[in-house]
Amino acid sequence: MKRILLFLSIVSFFASCKKSEQIPAVTTVQESVTDSLPNVVQDNQKDTLVNQNHSGVLVLNEVATFVGKMEQQGWISDTVRLKKLHQYKYLNTDSIHYINNYPFYKIVLDDARINDGINDEGYAFMRKAKSIVDYFYYNKVKGNFIADGIIEQWEFKDNEEAKQALDIIRDNGNNIYFNTNHFACRIKNYVIIFHTRAMSFSYDQKNIFRQFTEDNKIKEADLYNGPYRM
C-alpha cells in the first residue's frame, strides 16, 4: 500500500511540473503581441509627420495647388533672386517651409507689408491672425522689367474673424500697399492677399488673381478686387 501511495505521489509531482512548463508558452505569445506594438506606433508617427507636411496644415491646399499651376504658366518661385537683392531681410532658413517642393515663408505681423497703411484699429484686429505665410513669385520670361508678386495667406481662428479681416482690407483701400493694386479673398478662416512691389506689375497680377478665384469658385461677397479700376 505504501508503495502505491509513493508511486502516485511521484506521478502527481511530474504532472504538475509539466503544467508549470506550459505557462511560459502563453507568456511568449503575449510578448510577441507586445513586440508588434512599437511598429504600430512608428507607423502612426510617420503618418503624423506626413500630416504636418501636408499643405492643408500650414498652407491651404487651394494655394499650394495654384502655385503649381502658376509654375506651369511661367510664374516661378522668386526666393533666390530676392535673397540676392536683399529685398526681404526676413527670408531665412528658420522661416522657410517647403510645401510640394515650393518655398513658403512664415512671417510675423510686423514684417507684413499690410502694416504700411492700415489704421490702428485695423492693426489691432489683424494681430489676431494665427499665422501669416508668404509665397514670392516672378515671371521667368525676361524683358525690360521682371514682373513679380506675393501671395500672402492669413489664418484666423474662424470664418467670422476672416470676414472681418477682409472688411478691414476693403476699408483701408489704397492705404494698404500704397501705389499698387492689391487683391484679396477669403476661403473659410483664411484671407489670401495678392500684391506686388510695383504698380506696373498689378496688371499681370489681376489675371492671376482672377484665375485663382475662378478655380476655387469664390463668391463675390468674399472678394476684394482692389482699390483701383483696371
Side-chain angles (χ1 to χ4, degrees), residues 61-111:
N61 185 60
E62 289 87 341
V63 174
T65 301
F66 187 72
V67 164
K69 186 173 183 177
M70 288 174 61
E71 185 178 65
Q72 295 176 357
Q73 298 175 357
W75 298 94
I76 62 176
S77 169
D78 203 13
T79 297
V80 174
R81 189 176 70 94
L82 288 179
K83 281 187 174 181
K84 289 180 180 179
L85 296 174
H86 304 289
Q87 292 287 341
Y88 300 93
K89 294 180 180 180
Y90 56 83
L91 297 184
N92 54 63
T93 55
D94 293 333
S95 62
I96 191 170
H97 297 267
Y98 284 93
I99 310 295
N100 296 346
N101 295 322
Y102 298 111
F104 291 83
Y105 288 85
K106 192 171 183 179
I107 68 172
V108 297
L109 179 62
D110 289 339
D111 287 331

Side-chain angles (χ1 to χ4, degrees), residues 14-24:
F14 281 106
S16 63
C17 288
K18 287 186 176 181
K19 287 183 179 179
S20 65
E21 289 175 355
Q22 292 174 358
I23 294 175

Side-chain angles (χ1 to χ4, degrees), residues 65-195:
T65 301
F66 187 72
V67 164
K69 186 173 183 177
M70 288 174 61
E71 185 178 65
Q72 295 176 357
Q73 298 175 357
W75 298 94
I76 62 176
S77 169
D78 203 13
T79 297
V80 174
R81 189 176 70 94
L82 288 179
K83 281 187 174 181
K84 289 180 180 179
L85 296 174
H86 304 289
Q87 292 287 341
Y88 300 93
K89 294 180 180 180
Y90 56 83
L91 297 184
N92 54 63
T93 55
D94 293 333
S95 62
I96 191 170
H97 297 267
Y98 284 93
I99 310 295
N100 296 346
N101 295 322
Y102 298 111
F104 291 83
Y105 288 85
K106 192 171 183 179
I107 68 172
V108 297
L109 179 62
D110 289 339
D111 287 331
R113 287 184 60 199
I114 193 173
N115 300 319
D116 294 344
I118 200 169
N119 58 34
D120 292 341
E121 183 180 356
Y123 177 83
F125 184 87
M126 298 302 280
R127 289 184 63 182
K128 295 182 179 182
K130 296 176 64 177
S131 68
I132 309 170
V133 179
D134 279 1
Y135 176 76
F136 301 85
Y137 65 90
Y138 77 105
N139 194 332
K140 68 179 182 180
V141 178
K142 295 182 179 180
N144 294 330
F145 298 97
I146 299 178
D148 64 6
I150 302 169
I151 300 176
E152 193 161 276
Q153 175 195 278
W154 293 63
E155 178 189 5
F156 291 91
K157 181 182 67 175
D158 52 35
N159 293 359
E160 289 305 314
E161 280 196 357
K163 288 178 181 178
Q164 292 180 56
L166 185 60
D167 287 340
I168 288 171
I169 293 171
R170 288 194 185 103
D171 293 342
N172 284 268
N174 58 2
N175 293 326
I176 305 175
Y177 313 116
F178 178 71
N179 199 34
T180 65
N181 197 74
H182 58 284
F183 306 93
C185 63
R186 182 187 70 87
I187 298 178
K188 300 175 184 176
N189 59 311
Y190 292 81
V191 172
I192 301 94
I193 306 172
F194 287 67
H195 62 97

Side-chain angles (χ1 to χ4, degrees), residues 191-207:
V191 172
I192 301 94
I193 306 172
F194 287 67
H195 62 97
T196 70
R197 292 188 299 115
M199 184 64 182
S200 58
F201 305 149
S202 295
Y203 292 93
D204 294 321
Q205 184 161 250
K206 181 179 182 180
N207 294 329

